[in-house]
Amino acid sequence: MTHTYTIQAMQFIEANGSIVASAELLAKEIVIQLTDHKVVMVDLSQMRGLSSSYFNVLLQRVGDAITLAEFPQRVRLQFDTAAQEQVFNRSLEYARRTVA
């Protein structure tokens, strides 16, 4: 198992522009890479207008493979803007509150 692998989120944009489908594509790739790498870096450069729906899907799908507690250590997001980071943090907090 190698230590870190970087994914460019821009490479996982769904052809029809669906933000949820794009998040699902990215989440699938993250899960695949987590099997071979301790940490997956996700570069969100040029990913403007990401909504909580995008991050909710990402957290849910990746959360099927690793625990929510593991997420910040195993999946590291490189945000393009402070607003993007705020939206993600709200989604993460919501996920933490709703996990039984």
Side-chain angles (χ1 to χ4, degrees):
M1 180 179 282
T2 60
H3 195 283
T4 304
Y5 183 84
T6 300
I7 297 172
Q8 300 293 322
M10 280 295 294
Q11 295 178 345
F12 297 90
I13 302 295
E14 198 274 327
N16 292 326
S18 166
I19 197 75
V20 170
S22 294
E24 288 176 350
L25 289 173
L26 178 59
K28 184 184 287 187
E29 181 65 16
I30 291 170
V31 169
I32 289 167
Q33 296 306 326
L34 284 171
T35 63
D36 293 328
H37 305 282
K38 182 175 175 117
V39 176
V40 174
M41 298 287 292
V42 179
D43 184 348
L44 296 168
S45 297
Q46 302 174 12
M47 297 289 291
R48 301 287 181 194
L50 295 180
S51 65
S52 58
S53 297
Y54 181 89
F55 291 118
N56 292 342
V57 168
L58 189 68
L59 286 163
Q60 182 180 25
R61 300 294 186 264
V62 175
D64 289 342
I66 62 172
T67 68
L68 192 56
E70 289 178 286
F71 191 95
Q73 288 77 40
R74 304 270 331 264
V75 180
R76 303 217 176 117
L77 304 178
Q78 295 174 313
F79 298 100
D80 201 32
T81 65
Q84 202 177 60
E85 186 173 10
Q86 289 175 342
V87 172
F88 171 77
N89 286 334
R90 282 195 306 260
S91 291
L92 181 59
E93 279 306 308
Y94 178 77
R96 286 180 175 153
R97 285 193 313 265
T98 58
V99 171

